[in-house]
Amino acid sequence: KDLTSEQYRLYRLIWGRFLACQMASAVYDSVSIEAQSAGYTFRASHSELKFSGFTAVYEEGRDEDDEAPQSPLPDLREGEPLDRKGLKQDQHFTQPPTRYTEATLIKALEEKGIGRPSTYAPTISTILAREYIEREGKALKPTALGEVTTRLMKEQFPEVVDVDFTANMEKQLDSVESGKRNWVETLDGFYQGFAKTLAQA
């Protein structure tokens, strides 16, 4: 009751991940079928959860209610002939990646070495407050302002908005904190080039 919704979600993520690492692995029954016809091989597979283990608390990269239900496969024997009951001629086009949710965005930041657990919630709050993104259900959708700002930043400050730059800057700041680097020299090394780019922009 003492936390904001963002603070609670971050706390719940950290708590769930910590608890999950102490728990047993999940156990699945996996079935795979290969059927051959007219020189073609058709494959179908299905996994059924038998023991949830740590996934009862935390499953990485999964958002609740987002997974499509799977149909179990029929009980078949090797060599058993199959009858074709129907044929669906569906055309599937490549879909763009799904939009980030708060959980998947935090996971992406973590994987790319951007920020720290203490900065994840403020980062999301800031881009929401500045209306660079908006919530669409669970998804985070860029606004027109966010798209224009991103395009201008990529055009005028490509080095600064580069993921590697941000991760590298985090490492440099860690070195400053541990006393291995001088903070004035670190900032000066960044600002010399940045000032020229800023003046040009």
Side-chain angles (χ1 to χ4, degrees), residues 21-95:
C21 78
Q22 310 296 315
M23 297 171 69
S25 298
V27 177
Y28 294 87
D29 267 356
S30 296
V31 178
S32 186
I33 293 175
E34 287 192 2
Q36 294 186 341
S37 177
Y40 294 97
T41 301
F42 299 89
R43 292 186 180 89
S45 59
H46 175 70
S47 291
E48 188 176 349
L49 184 66
K50 290 297 181 184
F51 173 67
S52 57
F54 73 88
T55 62
V57 176
Y58 178 82
E59 192 167 352
E60 196 163 352
R62 177 182 169 186
D63 286 319
E64 304 153 20
D65 310 326
D66 279 359
E67 288 193 348
Q70 285 188 320
S71 300
L73 296 173
D75 188 17
L76 300 174
R77 300 284 175 268
E78 188 172 353
E80 181 181 340
L82 302 178
D83 295 326
R84 189 188 78 181
K85 294 184 176 179
L87 186 64
K88 291 182 180 178
Q89 295 184 339
D90 294 336
Q91 187 174 9
H92 295 279
F93 295 95
T94 303
Q95 297 296 313

Side-chain angles (χ1 to χ4, degrees), residues 1-199:
K1 68 182 188 303
D2 298 320
L3 303 178
T4 65
S5 59
E6 288 86 2
Q7 289 170 337
Y8 171 74
R9 279 196 289 271
L10 180 61
Y11 175 81
R12 182 68 177 75
L13 181 70
I14 296 167
W15 177 86
R17 195 159 182 174
F18 168 75
L19 198 63
C21 78
Q22 310 296 315
M23 297 171 69
S25 298
V27 177
Y28 294 87
D29 267 356
S30 296
V31 178
S32 186
I33 293 175
E34 287 192 2
Q36 294 186 341
S37 177
Y40 294 97
T41 301
F42 299 89
R43 292 186 180 89
S45 59
H46 175 70
S47 291
E48 188 176 349
L49 184 66
K50 290 297 181 184
F51 173 67
S52 57
F54 73 88
T55 62
V57 176
Y58 178 82
E59 192 167 352
E60 196 163 352
R62 177 182 169 186
D63 286 319
E64 304 153 20
D65 310 326
D66 279 359
E67 288 193 348
Q70 285 188 320
S71 300
L73 296 173
D75 188 17
L76 300 174
R77 300 284 175 268
E78 188 172 353
E80 181 181 340
L82 302 178
D83 295 326
R84 189 188 78 181
K85 294 184 176 179
L87 186 64
K88 291 182 180 178
Q89 295 184 339
D90 294 336
Q91 187 174 9
H92 295 279
F93 295 95
T94 303
Q95 297 296 313
T98 56
R99 294 195 188 281
Y100 284 118
T101 63
E102 287 191 29
T104 56
L105 179 57
I106 288 171
K107 182 185 172 191
L109 292 171
E110 187 179 33
E111 286 174 351
K112 292 176 168 61
I114 300 172
R116 297 288 178 270
S118 60
T119 65
Y120 296 150
T123 298
I124 292 171
S125 298
T126 300
I127 57 179
L128 277 166
R130 293 185 182 173
E131 298 183 352
Y132 295 145
I133 60 170
E134 61 189 6
R135 286 195 175 89
E136 192 176 69
K138 289 184 179 181
L140 301 174
K141 176 187 171 186
T143 61
L145 175 63
E147 289 176 356
V148 169
T149 304
T150 301
R151 180 169 50 79
L152 288 171
M153 289 297 290
K154 283 182 175 178
E155 287 172 4
Q156 301 295 333
F157 305 97
E159 300 86 6
V160 175
V161 294
D162 183 67
V163 170
D164 292 334
F165 166 83
T166 309
N168 185 48
M169 181 58 77
E170 293 276 358
K171 289 175 185 172
Q172 289 185 39
L173 294 174
D174 284 344
S175 297
V176 169
E177 185 183 26
S178 63
K180 294 175 184 173
R181 290 179 69 106
N182 179 281
W183 71 271
V184 176
E185 290 173 5
T186 301
L187 288 176
D188 191 55
F190 159 72
Y191 198 76
Q192 290 292 335
F194 179 74
K196 293 175 185 174
T197 309
L198 183 62

